Amino acid sequence: AVYGVVLIPFSCSKDVLNPQIQENSAGLVFEELEEEEGTLGGILAVRSRSRRSWIWNQFFVIEEYAGPEPVLIGRLHTDMDRNDGRTKYVLRGEGAGSVFVIDEKTGNIHVTKPLDREEKDEYRLIATATDRQTDRALEPSSQFIIRVQDINDNPPVFDQGPYIATVPEMENIGTSIIQVTATDADDPTYGNSAKLVYTLVQGQQYFSVDPQTGILRTAVPDMDRERQDTYLVVLQAKDMGGHLGGLSGTTTVTVKLTDVNDSPPRFTQSTWSFSVSELAIPGAEIGRISATDADLGENARLVYTILDGESGDTFNITAVNQEAVITLNKPVDYESRSSYSFSVEVMNPIVDPRFLRLGAFKDRATVRVAVLDADEPPKFSRSRYLMDVSENCPPACTVGRVSAIDPDTGLTNNIRFSIDPQSDSEAVFRITPDTGLITTAVELDREREHWHNITVIATQRDNPSQVSRVLVAIETLDLNDNAPELDRQYTTAMCDSSKIGQVSSVIHCKITCCFKLSKTYCVIKHFTRCFLLSQLLPLSRSASSTLTMYVPLVLRDGTSGLTSTGTVTVSVCPCLKGGARSTLPSPGLSTAALLAILACVATLLAVSALSLSLRRQKRDSLSPLEEDDVRENIITYDDEGGGEADTAAFDIAALQSAPHSSRTRDLPPRNPGGPSLALRVGEFLRLRLAQVTFDPSQPPYDSVQVYGLEGTGSRAGSLSSLESDGDKDGDKDDWGAGMEEWGPQFENLGRGGSD
């Protein structure tokens, strides 16, 4: 079966219930309804269930109710109970046996202790009717609820109090400040136990509170922070709708007014007086003025300004916190002006337009500054002097004059001049103590020192402690007193076969003469060429036959007539045919450059030699039987040659008909009617000798030139033994004659004959 419970509050009229509901001393009791629906006390219940025999008793218990004995809150009964004592009522569920107990025979339910609705507002229980003898259920168990009925036993509580809130000063009426909230633990759905109303206990003069929402608002306009910046407000929350008998709770709200720029600045006094010595330097502090502003922070920031007036830019003013520091911007002179008066303005840089109605946010004050007289040092007519004097001028030559006055009296006869010894340690200049005339003490040389910087001291005679200094720059003017000179050392080279008057690019040289003119330094360059005036003697053709000549040059200044001598180094070298000069250092190269070139060449040769040595060692390690020159190899074989008579072993005709070797092709060709073979051979040998001597690419050692063919047409005949028949003695004279015709180089060979 499906069972249900209809909850009926005590305020419900019994007329709406089923006629089976009855009333007893504990309250209302009713029997289960068969299919019915309706609204009882605002609670809708719709249940469909089969008829059963349960009769229900009271469902509510008042919280905090206490009595001397357990309180009867209801009774369970079933029509199966015959009142014979066999029916047993059993209660199970929340609080059964401890909070709630049941009489097993009658079904009466009692509560054993006071209940707190805020701790637990309902209990769910299960009732069962059983046969006491058989312990069998007389009908199925059913669940019911016991609700704890609320009473007003909890006051309102402000969980987040006390509160601190802020609001800008000078705000309008009704400006929201903060919302406070209180809570009540009583049942808000039953009665007015949890219905709260907010009121002000303290602070009603300046603030108000919404009774329903708890929003705190301003109640007056123009609350001025400068008069009072903090307010303490006490609020109360009362339940029962604020009616008599309701419980209440209170909290505090500290309201702080925040600042706005509603207060203009004001000087603490309208007139300020200060004094300053005429010896004070720019930047010196003269005095301080102050202004007040009742606002705070950025709203109280002040800006001070010196208004345009008779002081001009003599003074400066700078804000420091709420004060202003007046400093000296330019030197003051008591003799020129003894006092100054000017106006100073103070203002807020940021102004709230809402409060301009209160007046201008600025203020003015007058400042007077008196200049105090002091004994001042002499004052030069210039801050720096620039003078000049010619070089080579005899001592006591006038340079210039300095002047100074006593600013206190305006006189000049009270000043004594001197030169600071540290600035003129060599005592090059003198100065007249009374007049300030500067003269030279020694003869000056512009080429030695162009500028002289000295310091002149002016001392007050009646007060030697009053001293002033000034810088005097003296320029030494140039005179044409220096002879021209070569700008560097010149070196050139030429061939020993050069003709008189010959000029070529090889022997071209450039000479620069420098002249130093007065007033302005300039360089005038003259160019000249070196000519050969007389024929040179031929030099030996050896590698070391180089002639070095030093040619003196006379340089003359056409304006002053001053002269000097320079030297040009000329290297005369033996030249090859056609004028080609043997390899010599290039003209114009310095000794350091030549040494660097030679060092590089030596390094390359050393590296090449090392590389060749390593290659040779490698080749020897691979083939130890090989020799360096294959022409010197000795080939061993068992066949015996036939000697000179053995002409079949080698075909000499093939050798004789072979083309000319590379060496024979080097001989000059023979033209009909041209020089004889002997002359051509001599020319050929001289050419080879020159190449070996002067060509750096040729090996620096003697070599034997090997030819495969002697050539034909020689009147000396063949020198080979291949065609010899052993009878050549008769040709000795012809051989010797041929050698003589070839030249002295073959005389020994001619005398030897066929040997």
Side-chain angles (χ1 to χ4, degrees):
V2 178
Y3 300 95
V5 177
V6 178
L7 305 180
I8 304 174
F10 284 109
S11 62
C12 180
S13 174
K14 66 179 181 179
D15 295 335
V16 302
L17 299 178
N18 189 285
Q20 297 176 342
I21 298 178
Q22 300 177 0
E23 185 177 9
N24 62 14
S25 60
L28 295 177
V29 296
F30 62 94
E31 197 176 55
E32 179 187 27
L33 304 178
E34 292 190 70
E35 299 187 6
E36 61 179 334
E37 65 179 294
T39 302
L40 303 178
I43 302 176
L44 178 63
V46 179
R47 296 291 182 268
S48 296
R49 49 194 175 274
S50 61
R51 180 177 177 82
R52 64 174 189 154
S53 302
W54 280 104
I55 295 177
W56 294 85
N57 234 342
Q58 178 65 33
F59 290 97
F60 293 91
V61 60
I62 299 175
E63 71 168 332
E64 305 296 344
Y65 180 80
E69 296 179 356
V71 179
L72 175 65
I73 62 173
R75 181 172 64 88
L76 297 179
H77 183 71
T78 178
D79 56 3
M80 301 294 291
D81 188 357
R82 305 302 180 185
N83 294 322
D84 55 1
R86 294 185 60 180
T87 303
K88 177 182 179 181
Y89 294 94
V90 179
L91 190 64
R92 292 181 291 111
E94 297 176 336
S98 58
V99 178
F100 305 100
V101 295
I102 190 170
D103 189 330
E104 295 180 353
K105 294 179 180 181
T106 64
N108 291 334
I109 302 174
H110 296 79
V111 60
T112 62
K113 64 179 182 179
L115 301 181
D116 187 358
R117 191 203 65 84
E118 287 72 36
E119 180 180 346
K120 188 173 180 62
D121 61 349
E122 67 178 19
Y123 296 84
R124 294 181 180 273
L125 300 171
I126 300 174
T128 306
T130 63
D131 189 316
R132 187 181 300 275
Q133 294 179 356
T134 62
D135 204 22
R136 180 178 61 85
L138 298 179
E139 56 182 306
S141 300
S142 182
Q143 180 178 356
F144 66 97
I145 299 174
I146 298 178
R147 295 186 181 276
V148 181
Q149 186 177 358
D150 183 47
I151 63 173
N152 189 16
D153 59 343
N154 290 283
V157 176
F158 291 92
D159 296 326
Q160 298 179 356
Y163 299 87
I164 298 177
T166 60
V167 63
E169 63 175 332
M170 311 298 290
E171 286 296 317
N172 296 326
I173 296 177
T175 301
S176 176
I177 301 174
I178 191 175
Q179 182 178 15
V180 298
T181 302
T183 59
D184 194 317
D186 293 327
D187 187 359
T189 63
Y190 179 77
N192 294 326
S193 298
K195 185 177 180 181
L196 305 181
V197 174
Y198 298 95
T199 57
L200 284 178
V201 178
Q202 177 180 323
Q204 301 91 333
Q205 182 181 356
Y206 303 101
F207 304 96
S208 64
V209 64
D210 190 310
Q212 305 301 324
T213 62
I215 297 177
L216 184 67
R217 304 178 186 273
T218 58
V220 295
D222 302 335
M223 297 178 66
D224 192 358
R225 186 200 62 82
E226 285 74 28
R227 293 201 205 103
Q228 182 176 349
D229 61 352
T230 304
Y231 296 85
L232 182 62
V233 180
V234 179
L235 290 98
Q236 174 183 283
K238 189 174 183 180
D239 59 12
M240 297 300 291
H243 295 153
L244 184 63
L247 302 178
S248 64
T250 60
T251 188
T252 60
V253 179
T254 302
V255 180
K256 296 183 178 181
L257 300 183
T258 58
D259 184 60
V260 297
N261 191 5
D262 61 336
S263 299
R266 292 291 180 261
F267 278 108
T268 56
Q269 58 189 69
S270 59
T271 303
W272 305 80
S273 298
F274 304 101
S275 62
V276 60
S277 172
E278 64 176 337
L279 298 181
I281 61 175
E285 180 178 332
I286 296 177
R288 299 192 175 207
I289 61 178
S290 61
T292 60
D293 191 322
D295 295 321
L296 300 176
E298 187 68 17
N299 296 324
R301 188 162 67 93
L302 304 179
V303 175
Y304 294 87
T305 307
I306 296 179
L307 301 180
D308 295 336
E310 59 182 5
S311 64
D313 58 349
T314 306
F315 305 97
N316 282 333
I317 189 168
T318 305
V320 180
N321 297 326
Q322 298 295 99
E323 292 184 330
V325 179
I326 300 176
T327 57
L328 188 65
N329 188 45
K330 292 169 38 177
V332 292
D333 185 11
Y334 174 82
E335 288 72 24
S336 301
R337 187 171 182 175
S338 60
S339 65
Y340 294 86
S341 178
F342 52 90
S343 296
V344 177
E345 184 179 76
V346 61
M347 62 179 297
N348 291 135
I350 301 176
V351 178
D352 192 334
R354 296 180 300 168
F355 307 110
L356 290 177
R357 56 185 172 82
L358 301 177
F361 279 71
K362 61 177 65 176
D363 195 17
R364 289 188 180 183
T366 301
V367 177
R368 294 187 177 92
V369 179
V371 180
L372 303 179
D373 188 21
D375 192 2
E376 301 177 75
K379 183 178 181 180
F380 283 97
S381 59
R382 299 180 187 177
S383 60
R384 180 177 179 179
Y385 291 88
L386 180 63
M387 303 178 181
D388 58 61
V389 62
S390 298
E391 65 174 335
N392 302 329
C393 184
C397 183
T398 300
V399 178
R401 185 189 302 273
V402 298
S403 61
I405 63 171
D406 185 349
D408 297 322
T409 61
L411 302 177
T412 60
N413 55 6
N414 193 30
I415 307 300
R416 180 174 59 85
F417 299 97
S418 61
I419 296 177
D420 188 348
Q422 295 183 354
S423 64
D424 187 20
S425 58
E426 298 181 359
V428 178
F429 301 95
R430 293 191 180 96
I431 189 171
T432 304
D434 297 330
T435 62
L437 180 64
I438 300 175
T439 59
T440 59
V442 296
E443 188 174 303
L444 304 181
D445 185 2
R446 195 202 69 84
E447 287 71 32
R448 180 182 176 187
E449 191 168 1
H450 188 194
W451 287 92
H452 298 269
N453 295 315
I454 62 174
T455 300
V456 175
I457 301 174
T459 306
Q460 192 171 314
R461 294 181 183 272
D462 56 354
N463 188 0
S465 62
Q466 300 297 330
V467 175
S468 297
R469 298 172 181 266
V470 71
L471 177 64
V472 179
I474 302 174
E475 181 185 12
T476 305
L477 302 180
D478 184 42
L479 296 178
N480 193 1
D481 59 346
N482 291 279
E485 299 175 356
L486 292 178
D487 64 343
R488 61 183 175 87
Q489 294 294 328
Y490 288 90
T491 303
T492 186
M494 62 189 306
C495 290
D496 59 351
S497 59
S498 300
K499 297 180 180 180
I500 297 176
Q502 178 178 348
V503 178
S504 66
S505 60
V506 175
I507 63 170
H508 174 265
C509 63
K510 179 178 71 174
I511 302 174
T512 302
C513 303
C514 301
F515 299 89
K516 301 173 183 176
L517 305 180
S518 60
K519 290 294 182 184
T520 304
Y521 175 79
C522 65
V523 178
I524 302 177
K525 296 185 177 181
H526 292 272
F527 302 92
T528 185
R529 297 180 183 273
C530 300
F531 298 88
L532 182 63
L533 301 179
S534 60
Q535 184 64 46
L536 300 173
L537 296 178
L539 300 177
S540 172
R541 294 297 184 252
S542 64
S544 61
S545 58
T546 300
L547 177 62
T548 301
M549 304 178 65
Y550 300 97
V551 180
L553 298 178
V554 177
L555 309 176
R556 180 183 300 276
D557 187 341
T559 302
S560 64
L562 299 175
T563 62
S564 67
T565 302
T567 302
V568 176
T569 303
V570 181
S571 298
V572 181
C573 309
C575 297
L576 305 178
K577 185 177 180 181
R581 190 171 73 251
S582 61
T583 304
L584 288 173
S586 300
L589 292 177
S590 63
T591 303
L594 294 177
L595 291 176
I597 293 173
L598 291 177
C600 293
V601 172
T603 302
L604 291 176
L605 290 177
V607 171
S608 300
L610 179 60
S611 176
L612 291 174
S613 175
L614 293 175
R615 292 178 60 186
R616 180 174 299 176
Q617 291 177 5
K618 181 176 181 182
R619 185 174 60 186
D620 291 345
S621 63
L622 295 176
S623 180
L625 297 178
E626 287 188 358
E627 297 295 333
D628 293 339
D629 192 352
V630 297
R631 295 176 296 178
E632 298 177 1
N633 289 347
I634 300 176
I635 300 175
T636 305
Y637 52 91
D638 294 336
D639 295 338
E640 183 177 354
E644 294 182 357
D646 187 4
T647 59
F650 183 77
D651 188 3
I652 195 62
L655 182 61
Q656 292 177 344
S657 62
H660 295 323
S661 68
S662 60
R663 295 297 183 179
T664 58
R665 288 196 300 268
D666 291 339
L667 290 174
R670 181 174 182 180
N671 299 324
S676 62
L677 176 61
L679 294 179
R680 289 190 295 117
V681 170
E683 184 178 356
F684 168 73
L685 294 177
R686 283 193 296 273
L687 179 60
R688 288 298 189 194
L689 180 61
Q691 290 179 350
V692 172
T693 302
F694 301 106
D695 190 354
S697 64
Q698 294 294 329
Y701 49 81
D702 294 335
S703 62
V704 178
Q705 309 297 331
V706 181
Y707 299 90
L709 183 64
E710 299 179 22
T712 58
S714 174
R715 290 181 293 174
S718 175
L719 300 179
S720 174
S721 62
L722 297 177
E723 298 180 356
S724 175
D725 57 359
D727 188 13
K728 295 296 183 179
D729 294 338
D731 298 333
K732 180 177 182 181
D733 296 329
D734 295 337
W735 172 263
M739 295 299 103
E740 294 175 357
E741 194 175 12
W742 284 0
Q745 291 87 343
F746 293 87
E747 290 180 359
N748 293 336
L749 183 60
R751 285 195 298 271
S754 60
D755 297 338

